[in-house]
Amino acid sequence: MNQPLSVTRRTKLLAANADGIAEAAELLRAGGLVAMPTETVYGLAADATEGTAVAGIYAAKERPSFNPLISHLPDPAAARRQGLFDANALALAQAFWPGPLTLVVPVSSGCTVSELARAGLGTVALRVPAHAIAHAVLEAAGRPIAAPSANRSGRISATSAAHVMADLDGRIDAVLDAGPTEVGVESTIVACLDGTPRLLRPGGVPRAAIEHVIGRPLVLAGDAGHAPIAPGMLTSHYAPAARVRLDADAPEQGEAWLGFGPGQDFPTALNLSPTGDLREAASNLFGHMRRLDEMGLRTIAVARIPEQGLGEAINDRLRRAAAPR
């Protein structure tokens, strides 16, 4: 299964049942690439312990090799075998695993995650997903599974099997279809490396909830001028083909419109949440961006999103989509 990337390989659509899970796990153990659902987004999964399998992820996604990958485990005990957890990391794992939180910790002496998946760093990004199908695949595979979002690098993340096929059909071995994802944005990433927890990426767990557990404010980690130590830290990321204009009051002539809240009925428009529900907005974000981008207009104008709770993660993705490329 460790053949060079081919854009003509057959990508098989697997049902989210016992047979599909077993076939997905078998493909992963053989070094293949399988897009699998999690509660956040679909992940492009490969055996994190094998550099050749991990290289397949980078090739399929056309992803910069210095951007490390999250390794997914079936339970906290398995995660703790891969990394060194200080008191903050232990408290956060207990509070939010399984769930949409990734912890970046120093590697343990017994870490089996490949250097390529770690981008050559002495740290490892670990997550225990809260999704029954993902959990079953991880249990059956029996090893850490690297699974960045199942889309081309820099493109909009996939929240359904159809999104995966639109980006990666012919580039990967299979897609395990369990319907749309629930959270709709990637996991929050927190680094626990030196006794001072740092927020590397907003995501599915709000910052306030994390700060409540650790009993102090998170330090915000900047990424300018430094190689990323976690996924999703490149400035231009999650980018559609169209230009993105943020904090707009209304669309201008020839613009698509991504609205939020009531009273957003414009032509060529989609609304993240007509009722102003941030959970609904997060769930719809990537799908709506894809649909608007497919209209072929030069610009997507985006309404203001509150910078609170999941709004912080939504705005983070939108700012990266709008960044110069």
Side-chain angles (χ1 to χ4, degrees):
M1 197 65 63
N2 294 328
Q3 71 269 36
L5 173 71
S6 168
V7 294
T8 59
R9 72 168 74 178
R10 177 175 175 264
T11 298
K12 187 173 183 180
L13 198 62
L14 303 176
N17 55 26
D19 289 342
I21 290 165
E23 185 169 350
E26 182 179 357
L27 285 166
L28 292 170
R29 288 193 299 270
L33 300 176
V34 178
M36 71 174 189
T38 75
E39 78 277 24
T40 55
V41 297
Y42 272 72
L44 179 52
D47 182 351
T49 70
E50 290 291 338
T52 52
V54 173
I57 292 178
Y58 289 126
K61 285 177 63 69
E62 301 173 0
R63 181 179 183 137
S65 61
F66 54 80
N67 202 2
L69 305 178
I70 296 170
S71 291
H72 296 69
L73 289 306
D75 54 62
R80 289 184 63 186
R81 289 192 286 272
Q82 301 297 325
L84 302 175
F85 284 58
D86 64 13
N88 290 307
L90 288 172
L92 292 173
Q94 183 176 10
F96 300 113
W97 279 357
L101 175 70
T102 293
L103 295 174
V104 177
V105 297
V107 296
S108 70
S109 60
C111 181
T112 59
V113 175
S114 69
E115 187 172 353
L116 184 59
R118 296 186 284 108
L121 301 173
T123 57
V124 62
L126 303 170
R127 185 163 95 84
V128 177
H131 191 285
I133 300 302
H135 181 266
V137 172
L138 294 170
E139 285 278 12
R143 62 202 66 187
I145 296 297
S149 56
N151 54 277
R152 302 274 189 97
S153 186
R155 296 287 301 275
I156 300 167
S157 297
T159 55
S160 71
H163 294 164
V164 177
M165 293 295 281
D167 254 16
L168 298 176
D169 188 16
R171 289 176 162 258
I172 65 176
D173 296 295
V175 180
L176 187 58
D177 185 0
T181 61
E182 180 181 350
V183 176
V185 294
E186 291 89 343
S187 60
T188 304
I189 303 179
V190 175
C192 297
L193 301 174
D194 56 5
T196 303
R198 287 174 167 78
L199 179 66
L200 303 185
R201 182 180 74 183
V205 177
R207 177 168 54 172
I210 294 170
E211 291 175 339
H212 177 74
V213 170
I214 62 175
R216 67 172 115 169
L218 282 167
V219 173
L220 304 185
D223 59 355
H226 301 284
I229 65 169
M233 294 185 68
L234 296 177
T235 302
S236 178
H237 208 58
Y238 315 104
R243 185 175 74 91
V244 177
R245 184 168 68 88
L246 302 179
D247 297 329
D249 295 317
E252 297 177 355
Q253 182 69 30
E255 290 184 332
W257 175 251
L258 185 63
F260 177 78
Q264 308 281 313
D265 297 327
F266 299 105
T268 62
L270 291 173
N271 197 323
L272 291 170
S273 174
T275 62
D277 184 328
L278 287 171
R279 288 187 62 181
E280 181 183 18
S283 179
N284 286 330
L285 177 62
F286 292 128
H288 281 15
M289 289 281 284
R290 280 178 178 271
R291 288 174 60 191
L292 291 175
D293 203 32
E294 289 166 358
M295 293 180 182
L297 299 174
R298 295 184 61 183
T299 302
I300 299 172
V302 183
R304 289 181 178 84
I305 310 294
E307 190 77 23
Q308 62 189 42
L310 283 176
E312 187 175 22
I314 294 168
N315 283 316
D316 174 78
R317 302 308 185 277
L318 289 170
R319 283 189 289 267
R320 293 177 189 276
R325 304 164 202 170

